Structures are given as structure tokens and as C-alpha cells.
Amino acid sequence: MPNSMTNVQPPLEFIPPDFQSGVLKLSQWIFPWWIRFKTPITEIQAENVEQLVELYQQFQQEKVRFMLAFRHPNPDDPLSISQLFWRKIPQQAKKQGIALKSPVHAHFMYDRGIPLWAGNYVTWLFPKLGGTSILRGKLDRQGLRSARNLFVNGRFPIAAAPEGATNGLNHQVSPLEPGIAQLGFWCVEDLQKAQRSEEVLIVPLGIQYHYIRDNWQALAQVLTQMEADCGLTTNNSQPIPSSLYPRLISLGNYLLDLMENFYRQYYHQHIPTDQTEELPIRLQRLLDIALQVAESYFAIKPKGSLTERCRRIEQTGWDCIYREDIKDLEALSPVERGLARRVAEEASLRMWHMRLVESFVAVSGKYVQENPTFDRFAEITIIAWTMITRLKGGNPSQTPYLGKRRVQMTVGEPISISQRWSDYKASRRQAVENLTQTLQAALEKMSQPESKP
């Protein structure tokens, strides 16, 4: 988290889209360089791109409006998707003899919190690439109005991650947020009011990352470092799955013991001491308790999934830091400013519990056991490393390097929202829920394990 999180700040302002073609052209030149030299990605593949070519042609002919709803397992997803639009679609269109108008691009929704940790350049860049900000933890009317307008009237299709945040797992889709489905129905409604006939679609996009080589040696070194950080005796056996899995489980049990005692002793939480309970049960209980500690401070009633609770805590914490109730920070007296800073500091400290949880919201405790591939080992190891790094007070974004990676994107079958309009008129809540479940199933199908070529 940036240093500003420990001091009172002005309100988080909505960042409107401000697309500029010159910035897009510059990004089209810089992004491939950035991917090559600043990420472990060496190869980007895409399946069923012809589907998007046809949809993009229909979009430009004003026959459809569509949203690309993409899986979000990794922070590098936007870079990968940029190459889908800027390179893969134009190349496939040329093969099919279809002349698409340039540029081939997409508007996109992004979390308003991203610029807080990514830096000022993102605050400048995202709007000029056609992005529109959204606050995840509350009803952001201005952000929703902007996204709704882009869906109906934007120069390009719009892209969004219905999971709301990364979960670090290729084959486990987090519960989807219903806002994406609602935006789709609003698009149908707005088009009908404008007497326009475009069909409204949601296009699922699966994204998976695979290591080019199974580097068990590098994985063993990360495990060894984590064991050392925890004061555990290192097992220097051969770096093979059969020896690494017990070490991973042992590390997990140690961390559970440590954190259970932490919340038991310092936050007065009642946690059973039954060591015979399975790891998944203990993990889910610990995540719930960690959120309760933060919710108790902010006087928030626990409600919804772990992800929903995380977003609610985050937004409440931001409300204590980015103060909408203070019109002019400079007008505060030194004493008032000191109190405001105290509120911000305490809110930031309580949000720390939520940050621990959000890394684990999709972790079942059986992910590796179900299919002990190197990719799954690496994903869970990185999640554990992130937790240990947070406990140490380090930077969790600087993850260990385990090797070069290949990105596999899969374009799914379009889901017609227009065809569900009668269902929406009959029951809005049920229609939104059904569409969300359909999209969830589509993304989960595309997230099934695949064999390496």
C-alpha cells in the first residue's frame, strides 16, 4: 500500500474516460516491449479469435454491442488482452479477408484503487486508453453511469473482469459480481429507449498462464526461503513433487497455527484447538475470523461472500482515509488534522486483515492435491509467499521468479442478453442472477486444466 494510506487524503474522485488515439498508438508500440522485458510472458496464444473478428465487424456495422467478460487470474491480464485486440484480431481479420476499421480496441472498467498502488502514470494512462474507473465496495453512481454510457455509445466494445479482482489461480474462478450482468440489461434498456436495434452480448474470455518449463528447483528454493522466514527446519530433499507437497502442507499448517494463535491471543477470538481438523476447514474459519476483526472495528455487519465482505471493508476503510466529509483539508486546525490522520492510520491497520484474506478467497485447501501440476504448485506457493511477505511487512507485488510463462486465451460463445430481456422484465433480480450463473459456468468451463503441448 502507498504511504498516503496512513494519512488523511482528499476524496477519491471519479476518473472519467478521455480516449486519445495518440496515446493508444504509443501504447501499441510500448506494450510489446514491456511484456517482453518486464514480465515473464514469452508467448501469447488465443483460440477462437474468429468469433471476435465477426463480432467486431458487426459492432462496427452497428448490429451488436458487446462486453468482453474476462477471467482475472493475474495482474498481467490487461497486457495479454491488449495483444488480443491490437494484434490477434487484426491478424485474424486479415486471414478471413475482413476489413476492420482501425483502431481495434476496447473501452474497459478498472478498479479506482488501482492507481493508489500502481502509481500516477496509471492515473494518466488508463483514461486516455478509454478506461473508466469504478469503486468496487459501494454504489458508485458516477462510475456506473460512465460504464453504462460506454456500453451503449462507446466507440469500442467494453471489457471488464466480473470477478472484480485477481485470485492467482488458473483453474479456480472466484464468484462473479452481479454488476456485469446488470450493465448488460441496462444496455438493452437504453438501446430500446433510443429505438436502436443492436443486439447486446456478453463474450466470455478465458485466460490461463502456464510455465514453459517445470522448474521444481526454483520452486524448492522459494519454499526453503519461506520455511526460513517462519523458523522451520528446511528439508533439503530432492526438488520433486512427492517431496515438495508435504513441505507445502507443513508450511500451511504452521501458518494456520501461527495465525490462529495470533487472533486468539491478541484479538480475543474463540478458535478451537482441535489439530485433527482438515486444513480447508481451518483455513475458511481463519479467513472468516480475520474479516470479523476488521468488520468489528468498522461496525460492519458480516454479509455475503468473502469477496463481498473484503470489498465492503476496503470501501469503509477508504471512507476513513479519503474523506468526503472534509471539504478542505488545508483549512483543518493542527489538532483536527492530527485526529483525522489518526483515523486514517487506524483504518489502514484494520484493512491489513482484509488484505491477508483477499489473497486466499479462492483457495480451497485441496487445489494442489486435486491435480499436482507444477502450475498449481507454483500458484499456491506464490499465494503463501504473498501472505508471509505481508506478515514481514514487505512488498507483496514483487513475487519470486519461477520461469517464463505462456498465456492461453480462449474466446467463448457469446451470451445474448437481448434474448433474456423478457426474463428481466418478469424478474430483474432473478434474470441478473441467472445471467451471472451462466457467465460463471462459461468461465469455469474454459478454466479447466489443459495438458501442455
Side-chain angles (χ1 to χ4, degrees), residues 33 43 70 133 152 162 181 247 270 277 321 356 416 435:
W33 177 89
E43 185 179 353
F70 61 92
S133 70
V152 177
R247 292 174 61 185
H270 175 69
E277 284 187 317
I321 298 169
L356 284 180
S416 175
L435 178 55

Side-chain angles (χ1 to χ4, degrees), residues 211-349:
Y211 287 92
I212 302 298
R213 184 171 67 89
D214 294 350
N215 193 345
W216 295 103
Q217 182 65 49
L219 189 61
Q221 290 174 355
V222 175
L223 271 174
T224 299
Q225 180 59 55
M226 291 193 295
E227 290 165 340
D229 289 336
C230 294
L232 300 176
T233 302
T234 299
N235 184 343
N236 292 318
S237 58
Q238 291 296 317
I240 57 177
S242 60
S243 66
L244 295 182
Y245 185 68
R247 292 174 61 185
L248 187 61
I249 293 299
S250 177
L251 180 65
N253 284 322
Y254 169 81
L255 290 171
L256 282 172
D257 290 339
L258 181 71
M259 297 309 295
E260 285 175 348
N261 288 330
F262 173 73
Y263 283 106
R264 190 182 289 121
Q265 181 175 356
Y266 297 106
Y267 292 92
H268 317 296
Q269 299 296 307
H270 175 69
I271 304 175
T273 56
D274 184 2
Q275 299 296 323
T276 64
E277 284 187 317
E278 293 185 358
L279 187 148
I281 296 175
R282 296 177 64 193
L283 175 61
Q284 291 305 308
R285 182 175 58 225
L286 180 63
L287 298 180
D288 175 63
I289 286 174
L291 290 184
Q292 286 184 39
V293 167
E295 289 164 338
S296 176
Y297 172 79
F298 289 119
I300 300 173
K301 184 178 180 180
K303 182 181 178 181
S305 66
L306 292 178
T307 299
E308 291 170 334
R309 293 167 66 186
C310 283
R311 298 289 72 79
R312 200 173 298 116
I313 291 169
E314 179 181 60
Q315 187 56 53
T316 306
W318 283 356
D319 288 342
C320 295
I321 298 169
Y322 302 93
R323 298 287 292 275
E324 295 184 1
D325 60 321
I326 301 177
K327 299 186 181 298
D328 184 3
L329 290 176
E330 298 302 322
L332 294 178
S333 69
V335 170
E336 290 173 323
R337 193 173 189 78
L339 288 174
R341 176 167 187 164
R342 172 69 66 177
V343 170
E345 289 175 341
E346 290 193 5
S348 183
L349 288 172

Side-chain angles (χ1 to χ4, degrees), residues 41-223:
I41 297 172
T42 59
E43 185 179 353
I44 298 177
Q45 299 178 352
E47 294 181 2
N48 203 23
V49 180
E50 59 272 14
Q51 182 84 261
L52 277 180
V53 171
E54 294 171 3
L55 286 174
Y56 215 101
Q57 182 184 42
Q58 293 173 26
F59 180 92
Q60 293 183 346
Q61 294 171 347
E62 299 183 355
K63 294 180 180 179
V64 303
R65 306 291 299 186
F66 72 89
M67 172 183 284
L68 190 73
F70 61 92
R71 267 240 58 208
H72 202 12
N74 191 285
D76 290 331
D77 295 337
L79 293 171
S80 302
I81 295 172
S82 73
Q83 301 311 291
L84 174 65
F85 276 95
W86 300 346
R87 292 175 178 267
K88 302 293 184 181
I89 293 177
Q91 290 170 358
Q92 182 63 36
K94 185 175 181 180
K95 290 182 182 178
Q96 295 177 228
I98 295 176
L100 296 178
K101 299 175 185 177
S102 182
V104 177
H105 187 53
H107 294 290
F108 57 95
M109 299 170 62
Y110 65 94
D111 173 29
R112 179 61 180 85
I114 290 178
L116 302 181
W117 57 264
N120 291 332
Y121 81 96
V122 169
T123 308
W124 176 86
L125 177 64
F126 278 14
K128 290 175 172 51
L129 287 178
T132 185
S133 70
I134 191 80
L135 285 167
R136 298 182 299 182
K138 69 176 183 179
L139 182 61
D140 182 0
R141 298 184 184 278
Q142 196 169 9
L144 287 173
R145 280 197 301 268
S146 177
R148 184 171 180 171
N149 178 63
L150 287 176
F151 203 164
V152 177
N153 301 309
R155 178 178 174 182
F156 312 109
I158 189 169
E163 291 170 277
T166 60
N167 69 7
L169 303 176
N170 272 324
H171 308 300
Q172 184 70 45
V173 182
S174 298
L176 305 189
E177 298 179 356
I180 298 301
Q182 182 62 70
L183 278 172
F185 285 115
W186 281 340
C187 185
V188 175
E189 181 180 11
D190 292 343
L191 289 173
Q192 289 189 352
K193 289 180 179 178
Q195 297 183 342
R196 290 164 54 183
S197 60
E198 294 104 310
E199 183 177 12
V200 180
L201 307 168
I202 286 184
V203 184
L205 179 70
I207 305 179
Q208 293 182 328
Y209 294 79
H210 302 285
Y211 287 92
I212 302 298
R213 184 171 67 89
D214 294 350
N215 193 345
W216 295 103
Q217 182 65 49
L219 189 61
Q221 290 174 355
V222 175
L223 271 174

